[in-house]
């Protein structure tokens, strides 16, 4: 269901910096435009700043979905999920990424750059961006998240 015109936000801290390049290449190859909100180097930065920037871009309608990464993925998940309308899913394997879309209508994929390898991260991205929300019985559950 990917629309070639769809923009995806990419935002990472220093731990996710190297992974970001691979994910940017993958998402571009899948036909997505990328809104890269940083970080742009290995210098230490604060992950909430990047999660907040991604959530702000989504709230402003610049993108409907995002991929975030920090060392474990936990900090980014906590920061992103504090924002209204964000359903960020921290995934360690493709099955979780698929289910986060099918059952939770997740709109942000979070990856722990220091806890999964790049191939697993790419498999998560592939699953996340090629799986639709199933709706049905899941709609009322997702509505309760707001």
């Amino acid at each position: 269901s990917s629309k070639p015109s769809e923009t995806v936000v990419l935002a990472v801290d220093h731990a996710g910096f190297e992974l970001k390049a691979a994910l940017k290449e993958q998402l571009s190859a899948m036909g997505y435009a990328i809104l890269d909100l940083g970080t742009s180097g290995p210098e230490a930065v604060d992950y909430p700043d990047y999660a907040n920037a991604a959530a702000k871009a989504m709230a402003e309608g610049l993108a409907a979905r995002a991929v975030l990464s920090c060392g474990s993925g936990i900090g980014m998940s906590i920061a992103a999920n504090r924002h209204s309308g964000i359903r960020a899913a921290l995934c360690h394997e493709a099955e979780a990424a698929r289910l986060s879309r099918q059952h939770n209508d997740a709109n942000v994929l979070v990856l722990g750059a220091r806890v999964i390898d790049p191939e697993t991260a790419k498999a998560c991205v592939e699953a996340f961006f090629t799986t639709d929300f199933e709706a049905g019985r899941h709609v009322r559950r997702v509505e309760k998240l707001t």
Side-chain angles (χ1 to χ4, degrees):
S1 68
S2 76
K3 298 173 285 301
S5 61
E6 188 182 341
T7 298
V8 174
V9 171
L10 266 181
V12 305
D13 73 356
H14 51 283
F17 167 65
E18 281 187 40
L19 180 61
K20 185 180 69 161
L23 300 183
K24 189 186 247 186
E25 190 177 297
Q26 179 186 13
L27 286 163
S28 295
M30 291 172 77
Y32 293 98
I34 308 298
L35 176 56
D36 184 344
L37 297 182
T39 189
S40 53
E43 298 77 30
V45 294
D46 298 337
Y47 62 82
D49 297 341
Y50 294 86
N52 294 346
K56 182 172 186 280
M58 290 172 69
E60 290 172 355
L62 299 177
R65 296 192 278 183
V67 180
L68 308 178
S69 180
C70 63
S72 67
I74 295 168
M76 282 287 195
S77 299
I78 293 169
N81 278 316
R82 295 179 64 85
H83 294 268
S84 178
I86 298 295
R87 290 176 303 282
L90 172 57
C91 298
H92 297 104
E93 80 290 310
E95 179 66 0
R98 185 179 66 76
L99 289 169
S100 80
R101 290 286 309 127
Q102 281 186 341
H103 294 183
N104 312 115
D105 199 17
N107 54 9
V108 176
L109 173 64
V110 186
L111 301 166
R114 291 179 176 151
V115 296
I116 61 171
D117 60 79
E119 289 315 305
T120 302
K122 286 183 184 179
C124 289
V125 168
E126 178 72 24
F128 191 86
F129 284 91
T130 58
T131 303
D132 289 326
F133 179 47
E134 258 177 20
R137 71 186 188 277
H138 302 291
V139 171
R140 77 171 186 275
R141 298 167 185 168
V142 171
E143 283 173 352
K144 289 180 179 184
L145 298 175
T146 61

